[in-house]
Amino acid sequence: MTRYLCPQCAVHYRANEFTTYTAQSERWAPPHRDAMSTLVRGVRTLLGVTVADHDRARAEHLEMLRLGVHHRCPRGHVMPAEFLRRETLPIGLIGPSSVSKSTYLAVLLQRIVGMTDLAPMGLTFTVEERSKGIYQRDYVTPLAMRRPPEQTRLERTSPLVVRMHRDWAADEDVNLLFFDAAGEGYRDARSSADLNPYLSVMAGALVFCSPVNLAFGPETGFALAPGIEGATAPGAGTVVAALQSARTVADGRRDPVPTGVVVAKCDELAPLEARQPHPGQAIPLDARLFYGHEDAYLRRQSRWPYELLAAHGQAILAEAERFSLLTRYHAVSATGSPVNNLGMFDTIAPVRVHEPLLGLLHDMGLLVGATALYGPERVHG
């Protein structure tokens, strides 16, 4: 039987373990069907859904919306009815404080939800109803004031659920559940799981570090701008500790966790990047990404961040490779500029913020089938 994730208690339950209520908290049950009707519908489903079946399902769905029908998990957490219609996949933003995890997520969501950047690629995103308050308070409002979101605290943070619609799989929307895992103070696997239970069920991970976590020797002829050295962001050891705390929770899993290693605040590395023979290149945001070239694009973008970590962040690279064998590397800047002396961004000009998400979606198998929509005749025709 299919199991569904409760996004509030981070536990998978069987469908029959959820109870259903109306907006007035009265128990609700779907229309009763006798055994023969159920058998007939099963046979018709195997043969292909008919227009009548689709219309009937839509009418039932609209009736549920009219009555405010929702589900509750065994612990009493309330979820919209749609949660038992689509998969919920947790994505962890892993890394210590001050590496711009929250700022990155705020800008990414602004681009893909508010500005629909990926719509030409067949991907649209909406914030789920119960997450809208968190989204507005913690992400939209600070960015509107050109300020970074509040720093992630050690205790468990509220997840943010975003619904992803794919044009080539119109009836198979997916919930992406984003959560922060700062990592400091996690002593072992048990404390990690207790403080952040989403780590044990995550379907993908974005691991963050920043230039101050890297070790640039004098032989490189490169130094971070004055005032950046010795900032509050921790060194490589804290990034590694955050990764280790996440890995100990996921160690028992047989399936690899698709992972994007994100070198954040890459605007600080612009002078160094310009001197490289093969600098990081952005993935073109067009439909051709989905027509047999996605791996080439992602490998090309991954090359420079990987070489950067190999040269100046060996401990981070080694731990990232222990964390997951399915890993890509990205250089990203959420805002393109640091905060000024007023604690505000002078401008917000994102650099490659889409790419870690696109790489993760690709490795999680969520872009399979896009070629049916974006074949050569559609792309070049």
Side-chain angles (χ1 to χ4, degrees):
M1 181 178 290
T2 305
R3 299 175 70 88
Y4 296 90
L5 178 74
C6 169
Q8 296 183 65
C9 56
V11 175
H12 285 93
Y13 300 103
R14 294 188 300 274
N16 61 3
E17 293 183 86
F18 291 87
T19 50
T20 314
Y21 294 84
T22 66
Q24 288 72 38
S25 294
E26 298 174 349
R27 289 292 296 267
W28 182 86
H32 177 72
R33 301 186 184 94
D34 57 33
M36 182 57 68
S37 299
T38 302
L39 177 62
V40 169
R41 290 196 64 175
V43 171
R44 292 171 65 179
T45 299
L46 290 174
L47 296 176
V49 178
T50 66
V51 173
D53 291 329
H54 185 79
D55 289 345
R56 186 181 298 106
R58 178 172 174 78
E60 290 178 4
H61 181 55
L62 291 175
E63 177 67 8
M64 292 172 71
L65 293 177
R66 186 185 70 81
L67 295 173
V69 170
H70 61 269
H71 292 105
R72 298 181 189 177
C73 78
R75 297 186 187 179
H77 294 133
V78 176
M79 291 164 290
E82 289 82 358
F83 268 81
L84 296 196
R85 293 173 178 262
R86 66 180 72 102
E87 194 172 10
T88 298
L89 301 173
I91 295 175
L93 279 69
I94 299 171
S97 302
S98 302
V99 291
S100 79
K101 300 190 303 295
S102 298
T103 304
Y104 168 79
L105 184 58
V107 173
L108 174 68
L109 294 178
Q110 179 191 53
R111 303 296 307 191
I112 65 174
V113 174
M115 304 176 75
T116 63
D117 280 4
L118 301 183
M121 304 166 77
L123 294 169
T124 50
F125 301 81
T126 55
V127 178
E128 286 288 354
E129 193 65 36
R130 292 184 61 82
S131 291
K132 284 183 178 177
I134 300 168
Y135 174 61
Q136 186 69 39
R137 181 193 68 216
D138 295 346
Y139 298 95
V140 174
T141 300
L143 277 189
M145 301 170 65
R146 298 211 316 273
R147 293 187 179 277
E150 216 176 296
Q151 185 172 310
T152 302
R153 296 176 295 275
L154 295 184
E155 63 267 21
R156 176 177 168 180
T157 57
S158 299
L160 189 68
V161 181
V162 176
R163 176 180 177 183
M164 180 177 72
H165 174 81
R166 298 165 292 174
D167 286 354
W168 62 90
D171 295 326
E172 299 177 14
D173 288 355
V174 175
N175 291 323
L176 303 178
L177 184 152
F178 294 97
F179 68 93
D180 272 346
E184 296 103 325
Y186 292 1
R187 296 179 303 278
D188 50 38
R190 183 178 181 84
S191 65
S192 298
D194 288 344
L195 284 171
N196 207 323
Y198 301 100
L199 288 170
S200 60
V201 294
M202 67 179 169
L206 295 177
V207 175
F208 282 74
C209 62
S210 70
V212 294
N213 305 132
L214 306 179
F216 298 104
E219 72 282 357
T220 64
F222 170 78
L224 294 171
I228 296 180
E229 300 275 14
T232 56
T238 315
V239 179
V240 169
L243 254 177
Q244 288 175 338
S245 70
R247 182 170 56 82
T248 52
V249 178
D251 254 354
R253 295 174 52 161
R254 296 181 180 178
D255 55 320
V257 179
T259 301
V261 177
V262 179
V263 181
K265 304 182 183 181
C266 74
D267 55 289
E268 299 172 5
L269 300 173
L272 180 64
E273 183 177 1
R275 295 205 298 268
Q276 302 301 309
H278 303 286
Q281 301 176 49
I283 297 174
L285 290 180
D286 61 45
R288 282 174 290 187
L289 172 69
F290 292 134
Y291 188 67
H293 302 296
E294 54 267 61
D295 277 326
Y297 282 133
L298 292 166
R299 280 198 303 271
R300 186 179 69 186
Q301 205 280 325
S302 289
R303 179 173 178 177
W304 186 71
Y306 178 87
E307 292 174 350
L308 182 76
L309 287 168
H312 310 293
Q314 297 96 330
I316 296 172
L317 182 63
E319 192 60 38
E321 292 180 340
R322 290 181 65 198
F323 180 80
S324 176
L325 298 175
L326 191 58
T327 305
R328 300 186 188 277
Y329 299 85
H330 306 273
V332 166
S333 178
T335 59
S337 63
V339 294
N340 57 27
N341 56 3
L342 298 176
M344 301 173 63
F345 299 110
D346 292 325
T347 59
I348 296 180
V351 179
R352 308 187 190 108
V353 292
H354 310 89
E355 292 171 8
L357 177 65
L358 287 172
L360 210 56
L361 295 178
H362 176 270
D363 290 343
M364 290 166 65
L366 296 177
L367 303 185
V368 174
T371 51
L373 186 65
Y374 294 106
E377 69 282 356
R378 295 293 301 275
V379 173
H380 304 291

